[in-house]
């Protein structure tokens, strides 16, 4: 393999890691910028900000992502000035930097798809660069004094000196590096003296490639920093350039008349001579210290995490699902064999599998706070755009849920948050007129409840105007004109396809594709969404999601030959072995009396038209969902079951009340109930379902 | 004496390609001094400085005087930072 090919394959292999790292840096940049809004002079934050941008730029350069490197360079320049104190972070600058951050993200995403960024992005970048320049240019005059070499720093016990020579690689400029930035960085670390810039490698003017770099710098650098820190400063250019760092015997030599033999053969003045090109590249290569094995050593306070590719984790979880099924099968056989020792051994295996399952699923759990804090930015920008004053409150950010759920909930949430800002919360004037405080409140909260996670988006805005919603529904033919549904049903109309009540279509929401898409996205995650609103006081949207998409504890029941599973967390109690309910309507709805309370009950046999004789006695499983209790009448209670969730086959998608399927130990298929939508079937008035299709179900096999 | 050649406001990696091409086209004959109006330069990086260096070097080889007229503070600062401040006083070097 030629070195070139090695490079290419290295880049192809390392690019995904770079991209994921870049996304993290971008997220960090955003958070830091937002934090700085309340603490604009915080030097540590400013340093971290600069480092993140610098790392993105540097590694983008290494990967040949020229656009990223070039654009980030401008951002870095401004950040450097902020860090130096030659520019101050105003809200305008902050907004600009946030936009730049977005734009870098666009570029990174383009790189991820290996597609060039579109033309719109280029013009946006151009505009942003103009903005960045407008800020950084006036401060150049101030910077001048700051960057002039200063040699009169106080003598320092730990001061060390190095003579450094850098032959910049030909691609340095094109990779987005600037020797000036390197020098400026070093001047921040220590003293830089005897700087000479050699132009000996410069070709004839006519023949030169103006974008190639032919510069060689040599200087004496004195600082208290560790050698490794110094080495790290050259990490970004080391791949292309020749860097020679020579420790000087004594720091006191600095500033005294050094032997000129050390200095460069040629300086930048016009008196260059042909002899200046004497230093041969090969000789330098020998002297060059081996490249440091990795980038700057990780700070010790960094949390100790192992980065694992998500697909490896998914593979383990898939295998674990198979293991759970296989172990259920084995313990079933053990039971049938009636051998005590075998059953005990299987029991133990089962327990271990369960522990491994819990531990493994834990690996995928992430805190939702990270997703929530993304909305700080959205709220800030959107509120500013709409001239509204909004305070965002976040509660329960440490609530954990499956990473794949978190990833897929972000978009629907984004829409809901924007909706709340756009339609829900009023402008300060309107709020004052309505007797509220001028600052609107938006609360994002998360908590666990009965095996699911509850995410709420609550605002204290104007609420949903039911009459308006109804009017629109009549116009759109979603409800027959003149019919007055119940309040809750009117609110639910908001999630109907093609519904939008915004009087003017803003660029934030109101395109009418919103809420029904939100609902279907959430339903795809086996979740559901509900809305609560008091006119004039606010709106609360509740998203209920399963904790994980992979494995749950289930409660297995049988009806005829079919098996069904309820999520165990939703099961409140069971009423065993009672006479079968006689009074069921044709869709399987009835009621039982439980401790002198009326409990709505749904009969699975009737609901799904299961073809088997009704036994004389049956049991009722009492379930709880969204504060409602209801019963489900079943033939047999089969007990707790570790349930590996498989998606429903296409044929069963239209089944109401189902969320997935699972394979039992004996190879049978059981359907998993979505307790929430089943509760609607159990408690809703019958006419609503008269024309909904519920497929007849005979044998529980998924396609 | 011909009018000074005006350098653009941005003298960076993004503009050096065009500037290089137009300098090759518009370079005055060797007998007259090359005057560069550097007052408008607000944004300059190492690539820009390198182009000026190369130009100065070319003039030197031809025995032509080159002078940066009224260099902007951005240019002064950047050339000092890179250690090529001699560039600003090149006409003396060429004359001697």
């Amino acid at each position: 393999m030629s070195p070139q090919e090695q490079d290419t394959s290295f880049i192809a292999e390392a690019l995904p890691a770079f991209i994921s790292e870049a996304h993290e840096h971008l997220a960090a940049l955003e958070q830091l910028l937002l934090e700085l809004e309340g603490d604009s002079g915080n030097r540590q934050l400013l340093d971290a900000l600069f480092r993140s941008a610098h790392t993105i730029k540097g590694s983008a350069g290494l990967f040949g992502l020229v656009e990223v490197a070039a654009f980030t360079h401008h951002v870095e320049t401004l950040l450097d000035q902020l860090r130096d104190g030659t520019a101050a972070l105003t809200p305008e600058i902050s907004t600009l930097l946030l936009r730049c951050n977005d734009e870098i993200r666009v570029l990174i995403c383009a790189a991820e798809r290996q597609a060039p960024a579109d033309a719109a992005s280029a013009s946006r970048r151009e505009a942003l660069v103009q903005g960045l320049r407008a800020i950084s240019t006036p401060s150049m005059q101030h910077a001048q004094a700051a960057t002039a070499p200063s040699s009169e720093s106080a003598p320092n016990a730990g001061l060390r000196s190095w003579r450094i020579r850098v032959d910049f690689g030909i691609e340095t400029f094109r990779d987005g590096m600037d020797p000036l930035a390197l020098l400026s960085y070093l001047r921040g670390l220590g003293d830089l003296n005897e700087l000479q810039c050699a132009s000996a490698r410069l070709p004839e003017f006519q023949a030169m490639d103006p974008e190639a770099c032919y510069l060689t710098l040599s200087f004496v650098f004195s600082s208290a920093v560790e050698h490794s820190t110094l080495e790290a400063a050259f990490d970004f250019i080391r791949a292309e350039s020749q860097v020679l760092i020579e420790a000087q015997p004594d720091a006191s030599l600095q500033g005294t008349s050094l032997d000129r033999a050390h200095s460069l053969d040629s300086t930048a003045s016009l008196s260059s001579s042909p002899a200046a090109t004497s230093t041969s590249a090969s000789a330098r290569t020998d002297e060059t210290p081996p490249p440091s094995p990795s980038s700057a050593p990780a700070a010790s306070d960094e949390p100790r995490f192992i980065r694992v590719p998500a697909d490896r984790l998914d593979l383990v979880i898939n295998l674990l699902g198979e293991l759970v099924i296989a172990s259920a099968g084995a313990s079933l056989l053990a039971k049938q064999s009636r051998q005590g020792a075998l059953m005990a051994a299987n029991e133990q295996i089962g327990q271990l599998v369960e522990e491994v399952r819990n531990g493994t699923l834990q690996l995928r759990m992430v805190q939702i706070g990270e997703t929530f804090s993304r909305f700080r930015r959205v709220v800030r920008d959107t509120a500013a755009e709409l001239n509204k004053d909004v305070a965002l409150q976040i509660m329960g950010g440490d609530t954990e849920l499956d990473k794949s759920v978190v990833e897929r909930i972000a978009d629907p949430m984004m829409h809901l948050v924007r909706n709340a800002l756009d339609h829900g919360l009023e402008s300060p004037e309107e709020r004052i007129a309505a007797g509220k405080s001028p600052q609107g409140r938006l609360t994002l909260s998360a908590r666990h409840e009965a095996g699911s996670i509850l995410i709420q988006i609550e605002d204290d805005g104007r609420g949903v105007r039911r009459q308006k919603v109804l009017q629109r529904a009549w116009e759109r033919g979603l409800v027959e004109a003149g019919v007055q549904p119940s309040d809750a049903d009117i609110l639910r109309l908001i999630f109907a396809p093609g519904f939008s009540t915004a009087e003017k279509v803003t660029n934030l929401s109101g395109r009418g594709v919103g809420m029904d898409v939100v609902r279907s996205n959430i339903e795809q995650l086996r979740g559901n969404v509900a809305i609560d609103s008091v006119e004039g006081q606010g709106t609360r949207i509740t998203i209920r999601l399963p904790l994980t998409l992979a494995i749950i504890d289930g409660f297995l029941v049988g009806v005829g030959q079919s098996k069904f599973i309820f999520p165990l967390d939703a099961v409140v109690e069971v009423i065993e072995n009672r006479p079968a309910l006689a009074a069921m309507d044709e869709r399987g709805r009835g009621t039982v009396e439980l401790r002198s309370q009326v409990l709505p009950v749904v009969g699975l046999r009737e609901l799904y038209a299961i073809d088997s004789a009704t036994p004389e006695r049956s049991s009722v499983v009492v379930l709880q969902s969204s504060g409602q209790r209801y019963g489900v009448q079943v033939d047999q209670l089969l007990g707790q079951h570790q349930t590996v969730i498989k998606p429903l086959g296409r044929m069963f998608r239209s089944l109401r009340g189902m969320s997935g399927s699972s394979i039992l130990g004996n190879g049978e298929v059981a359907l998993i109930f979505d307790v929430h939508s089943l509760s609607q079937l159990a408690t809703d008035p019958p006419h609503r379902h008269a024309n909904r299709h519920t497929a007849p179900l005979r044998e529980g096999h998924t396609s | 004496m011909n009018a000074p050649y005006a350098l653009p406001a941005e003298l960076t990696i993004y503009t050096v390609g065009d500037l290089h091409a137009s300098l090759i086209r518009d370079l005055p004959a060797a007998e007259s001094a090359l005057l560069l109006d550097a007052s408008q330069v607000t944004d300059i990086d190492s690539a820009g400085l390198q182009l000026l260096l190369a130009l100065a070097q070319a003039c030197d080889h031809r025995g032509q005087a080159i002078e940066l007229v009224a260099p902007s503070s951005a240019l002064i600062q950047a050339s000092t930072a890179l250690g090529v401040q001699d560039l600003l006083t090149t006409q003396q070097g060429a004359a001697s």
Side-chain angles (χ1 to χ4, degrees), chain A residues 165-300:
Chain A
R165 175 186 171 122
V166 189
D167 292 271
F168 288 97
I170 203 96
E171 293 296 324
T172 303
F173 296 154
R174 277 190 280 254
D175 285 348
M177 306 297 155
D178 190 337
L180 273 173
L182 176 70
L183 290 172
S184 149
Y185 176 71
L186 289 174
R187 284 184 174 113
L189 291 177
D191 275 350
L192 207 145
N193 289 293
E194 298 180 42
L195 175 65
Q196 289 181 349
C197 177
S199 50
R201 290 191 291 148
L202 260 178
E204 278 292 307
F205 186 72
Q206 312 259 341
M208 80 181 280
D209 171 359
E211 291 178 3
C213 181
Y214 307 101
L215 298 175
T216 298
L217 288 175
S218 94
F219 48 88
V220 173
F221 180 67
S222 319
S223 168
V225 299
E226 287 300 311
H227 189 77
S228 59
T229 313
L230 183 61
E231 290 271 351
F234 296 95
D235 275 348
F236 295 134
I237 56 158
R238 203 185 284 279
E240 279 272 336
S241 312
Q242 305 277 356
V243 182
L244 176 62
I245 302 175
E246 235 172 51
Q248 293 287 94
D250 187 8
S252 64
L253 275 178
Q254 169 219 335
T256 63
S257 67
L258 265 162
D259 185 5
R260 279 283 148 187
H262 278 295
S263 74
L264 283 180
D265 306 309
S266 153
T267 66
S269 70
L270 289 177
S271 57
S272 59
S273 65
T277 54
S278 64
T279 326
S280 80
S282 58
R284 283 199 303 272
T285 315
D286 296 341
E287 296 163 17
T288 308
S292 58
S294 66
S295 56
S300 55

Side-chain angles (χ1 to χ4, degrees), chain A residues 70-71 74 133 137 140-141 143-144 147 149 173-174 178-180 183 187 195 197 199 202-206 208 210-215 217 268-272, chain B residues 10 13-14 16-17 20 23-24 27 42-47 49-51 53-58 60-61 66 73-74 76-78 80-84 86 90:
Chain A
F71 182 67
H74 291 283
R133 281 219 189 95
T137 312
M140 285 291 233
Q141 282 85 358
Q144 192 184 340
T147 47
F173 296 154
R174 277 190 280 254
D178 190 337
L180 273 173
L183 290 172
R187 284 184 174 113
L195 175 65
C197 177
S199 50
L202 260 178
E204 278 292 307
F205 186 72
Q206 312 259 341
M208 80 181 280
E211 291 178 3
C213 181
Y214 307 101
L215 298 175
L217 288 175
S269 70
L270 289 177
S271 57
S272 59
Chain B
E10 182 180 356
I13 178 71
Y14 304 105
V16 285
H20 180 244
L23 278 169
I24 289 176
L27 267 183
T42 53
D43 195 4
I44 183 160
D45 66 4
S46 303
L49 286 167
Q50 177 184 268
L51 188 72
L53 271 179
L55 184 61
Q57 201 165 284
D60 188 39
H61 285 315
I66 175 170
S73 58
I76 295 173
Q77 186 218 331
T80 312
L82 195 67
V84 294
D86 290 357
T90 42

